Amino acid sequence: MSRAGALLSREVALAWGKGGGPLVSLGFYAGTATLLPLATGPEPARLAAIATGMAWVALALAALLSLERLFERDYEDGALDLIVLSPLPLEIVCALKCLGQWIATGAPLALAAPVAAIALGARPELAPLIFACALVGGLAFAFTGGIGAALSLGARRGGLLTAVIVLPLFVPPVIFGGAALDAFGNGLPWHAGLALLCAYAAAAVALGPLAMAAACRNALS
Amino acid sequence: MISRLSLENLAVRRGGRLLFEGLNLTLDSGQAAALTGRNGAGKTSLLRTIAGLVQTEAGTVGFGGLDPTEARARGLHLVGHLDGLKPARTAREELTFWSAWTGGSPESTQTAIKTLELSTLLDLEVRRLSAGQRRRLALARLIAAPRPLWLLDEPLSPLDAGWRERFGQIMAGHLAGGGLIVAAVHDPLPVPAKALEIGA
């Protein structure tokens, strides 16, 4: 098996099976999506108006959950030392870790997003766009989240620090995705929002690994 | 491949404290060095410096003229206290991954399993292994992917007397095949080695 393939399957296996995985993220997502209408009131008209927005914000929060262990686990047990000692550049390693994270938790959350939005009262015809936004947004969440996870390596209460670093980076994708969904729901042109979301995700995939690799090297030295 | 390791006038600082300076060592193919020194003297830091994980304060680490990044990426193994093994994964999953990661083949992995007698442990989760078994699993990486330079941080400590002797034979075999070993130890190494005391 190639190095990259071996690492990706390890990352997916670790994110999927050991220490929570998609079930915990999905459970958290369902919990958050249920909690929001309890606070805003149950009138269907009001709920329907904000359903997609709530589903979208809950998704961003659920994406935060599993970030803590992305690098911390390998840092604590010494695996990161050994992973660095390889011909594969650390930037590629970081990208593969985030990709594994996206496959194991981002994709299941993207499947759950339309269900949650419709349950909250969104119109069913929004479902494909919600799924697309959640899938692309999940990629942006994983790759910007990885920056926070790498920067907080070695810090006590690293998970909390990760969330504080990452939440501002989640603002643009939340705005772009929310704008696309809102525009689609109101019959307005929605392509721009989705295009901006894709652009942000692409930038995160391209630039995020550089920042993560630098942060990992700094934490190890 | 690495046939020489040379440390010249090496100084390393950790957490604002100068651990050692003016350290020199030259190892050629087939030679081993035993690092000794009190706890906290910097044995682990020296191994991590050779591996490129810790920056040098002064001096150089040379690999016989090879590009250091390339030499480290393909030419050395590091086995330390932190073994990088995931408690929730099985011994087989971990050994297979690390073998693939360090460039081993299925055949060399089988050799490693045989040499370190891991076949009965492969389906156990790493958390079920004893300290000595876990160390044997970590040491199996050395054989699963042949690389010339072994950096070992107290490799013998959790092993029983029988396995210490066996690992001595494994080290002797590696040296006879042209390998190099730098080991931090408190007890004497079971192979002939240059002595290097740190922080004396």
Side-chain angles (χ1 to χ4, degrees):
Chain A
M1 198 176 352
S2 76
R3 281 194 174 86
L7 183 70
L8 185 63
S9 67
R10 169 187 189 262
E11 291 303 321
V12 172
L14 281 172
W16 188 274
K18 326 290 177 186
L23 277 182
V24 173
S25 291
L26 287 174
F28 180 84
Y29 184 49
T32 321
T34 317
L35 208 56
L36 289 169
L38 295 178
T40 54
E43 301 89 48
R46 183 193 287 175
L47 268 185
I50 54 173
T52 52
M54 285 192 292
W56 188 228
V57 168
L59 189 75
L61 294 178
L64 272 180
L65 262 197
S66 42
L67 285 177
E68 182 187 3
R69 305 302 283 159
L70 185 58
F71 290 101
E72 189 72 27
R73 184 169 59 190
D74 282 339
Y75 175 74
E76 278 172 356
D77 67 14
L80 203 54
D81 291 345
L82 307 175
I83 285 175
V84 171
L85 295 175
S86 157
L88 209 61
L90 190 52
E91 287 77 9
I92 306 280
V93 169
C94 294
L96 287 168
K97 285 177 92 64
C98 293
L99 197 62
Q101 179 81 5
W102 180 64
I103 293 170
T105 62
L109 280 173
L111 281 173
V115 179
I118 291 168
L120 288 171
R123 295 207 314 276
E125 58 267 30
L126 275 167
L129 185 61
I130 296 175
F131 175 69
C133 281
L135 207 56
V136 177
L139 202 59
F141 292 152
F143 275 78
T144 51
I147 300 174
L151 279 173
S152 57
L153 271 185
R156 267 183 296 169
R157 311 284 309 274
L160 212 54
L161 185 59
T162 303
V164 173
I165 296 172
V166 163
L167 275 176
L169 296 173
F170 279 11
V171 168
V174 166
I175 292 174
F176 299 148
L181 291 169
D182 198 41
F184 185 89
N186 293 316
L188 299 167
W190 50 273
H191 296 95
L194 186 59
L196 282 170
L197 182 62
C198 290
Y200 189 82
V205 171
L207 301 176
L210 304 177
M212 288 177 235
C216 287
R217 284 200 189 91
N218 183 49
L220 287 175
S221 69
Chain B
M1 274 287 90
I2 300 176
S3 57
R4 162 174 279 213
L5 170 71
S6 48
L7 312 179
E8 282 169 29
N9 202 24
L10 200 64
V12 168
R13 184 183 291 277
R14 300 293 284 154
R17 193 168 64 95
L18 194 65
L19 287 175
F20 49 79
E21 55 184 336
L23 191 137
N24 293 292
L25 174 71
T26 306
L27 275 191
D28 284 308
S29 217
Q31 290 185 318
L35 308 178
T36 53
R38 59 186 163 72
N39 296 138
K43 301 186 289 293
T44 300
S45 293
L46 176 57
L47 292 175
R48 291 174 61 83
T49 307
I50 296 172
L53 298 167
V54 168
Q55 300 293 315
T56 56
E57 173 89 357
T60 54
V61 179
F63 297 94
L66 298 174
D67 170 50
T69 312
E70 188 66 7
R72 283 164 174 148
R74 296 182 192 273
L76 67 79
H77 274 297
L78 175 67
V79 178
H81 300 287
L82 295 173
D83 50 24
L85 299 170
K86 293 279 175 287
R89 303 231 299 162
T90 64
R92 186 193 309 278
E93 288 171 325
E94 284 296 276
L95 184 58
T96 309
F97 167 70
W98 286 114
S99 170
W101 186 250
T102 45
S105 64
E107 296 74 40
S108 57
T109 309
Q110 281 308 315
T111 312
I113 292 169
K114 216 171 288 170
T115 312
L116 288 141
E117 292 180 14
L118 294 169
S119 53
T120 55
L121 308 175
L122 284 178
D123 292 320
L124 293 177
E125 288 179 355
V126 171
R127 73 168 103 242
R128 311 257 171 243
L129 303 182
S130 74
Q133 290 171 333
R134 197 172 156 142
R135 177 54 57 93
R136 270 157 55 200
L137 180 59
L139 291 172
R141 290 198 288 249
L142 299 171
I143 301 182
R147 291 179 163 197
L149 175 57
W150 291 2
L151 304 174
L152 311 173
D153 197 353
E154 303 200 27
L156 304 174
S157 50
L159 298 179
D160 62 31
W163 273 106
R164 285 182 184 212
E165 198 187 325
R166 290 282 290 282
F167 188 62
Q169 292 160 3
I170 292 170
M171 284 195 282
H174 179 62
L175 294 173
L180 301 86
I181 296 176
V182 182
V185 285
H186 286 297
D187 307 314
L189 263 188
V191 289
K194 290 186 175 182
L196 180 65
E197 186 169 359
I198 298 180

